[in-house]
Amino acid sequence: MKRKFYLFWTLLLLPLFLYSQNDKDFILTLNQDTLYGKVSFNPKAKLVSFRHKGKKTFFHVSTLTYFGINRNGNTQVYKILVNHWKEYIYVEVLSEGKLDLYYYDTKYNERYTRADPYRYYIGNDTMHPIRMSPRSYKYILKYMLTDESELLAQLSDYEDVPRIVRQYNQM
């Protein structure tokens, strides 16, 4: 009887607890702890500022896995990757599934010119995400989507990459 009582109250209150986490920023640490609060980040300094219960804490990019920022009901999720220069970088998660696709804003990295405003990183379970540029995306997608000639035929420019990857992941 006592067990049913606890189960009843748990099921009754669970939606309330989950609702209270909506519209909040979050971080996921390397220990797989999810913490909710207010997140702001400085891509150039590679720091994430986290405010929780009035206390402000800073996390270095190397100590996080994911973090999400919710603004006006729209949540942007960021993941931490190590790029080909062995630097930790913030990438926005565009799609995860059979193929993972991430967006990297290059304006905070001096190694890129202004002609390269962003890059995509793409990967899957068997390979670490690799950088795609406006010059390499066709070759990389042709390699990654070998059996999907219909999808590849829809690819006309670099901006089509997220749409193609989302369609592939929904198949």
Side-chain angles (χ1 to χ4, degrees):
M1 181 67 182
K2 200 180 227 186
R3 198 167 151 197
K4 287 182 181 180
F5 176 77
Y6 287 122
L7 182 62
F8 169 77
W9 282 105
T10 302
L11 292 175
L12 184 68
L13 295 175
L14 185 61
L16 182 63
F17 293 130
L18 293 176
Y19 176 76
S20 68
Q21 302 304 334
N22 285 350
D23 299 333
K24 287 193 176 182
D25 300 347
F26 69 90
I27 60 173
L28 179 64
T29 66
L30 292 176
N31 295 333
Q32 301 301 310
D33 294 328
T34 303
L35 307 172
Y36 294 92
K38 187 74 171 166
V39 172
S40 60
F41 73 103
N42 181 342
K44 192 152 185 89
K46 299 192 183 329
L47 288 176
V48 172
S49 167
F50 183 67
R51 185 174 295 278
H52 178 71
K53 295 183 180 179
K55 294 181 181 178
K56 192 172 190 178
T57 307
F58 291 95
F59 290 90
H60 187 268
V61 66
S62 64
T63 62
L64 298 174
T65 306
Y66 285 90
F67 65 92
I69 298 177
N70 187 310
R71 299 297 181 263
N72 302 322
N74 183 23
T75 301
Q76 291 177 292
V77 177
Y78 293 86
K79 183 175 181 171
I80 313 308
L81 292 180
V82 177
N83 67 11
H84 57 288
W85 290 303
K86 308 290 188 243
E87 299 171 322
Y88 288 99
I89 58 172
Y90 302 102
V91 293
E92 183 179 350
V93 177
L94 296 180
S95 184
E96 288 187 320
K98 295 184 278 187
L99 276 181
D100 300 332
L101 184 66
Y102 309 106
Y103 172 89
Y104 177 58
D105 189 346
T106 61
K107 71 181 170 189
Y108 301 108
N109 191 327
E110 299 86 26
R111 297 178 192 241
Y112 290 94
T113 66
R114 291 182 190 245
D116 298 327
Y118 64 94
R119 288 283 193 260
Y120 293 121
Y121 279 79
I122 191 166
N124 59 25
D125 291 340
T126 60
M127 65 182 258
H128 187 71
I130 56 173
R131 177 181 50 121
M132 280 196 310
S133 72
R135 293 171 295 284
S136 66
Y137 75 97
K138 289 181 182 176
Y139 302 108
I140 292 170
L141 283 179
K142 188 176 180 182
Y143 171 76
M144 303 286 283
L145 304 173
T146 53
D147 298 333
E148 301 299 331
S149 57
E150 291 176 17
L151 270 180
L152 289 172
Q154 298 175 24
L155 186 65
S156 61
D157 61 13
Y158 193 50
E159 287 77 26
D160 288 339
V161 171
R163 180 179 54 80
I164 299 295
V165 171
R166 281 189 199 106
Q167 286 178 342
Y168 177 72
N169 283 339
Q170 290 173 356
M171 296 173 93

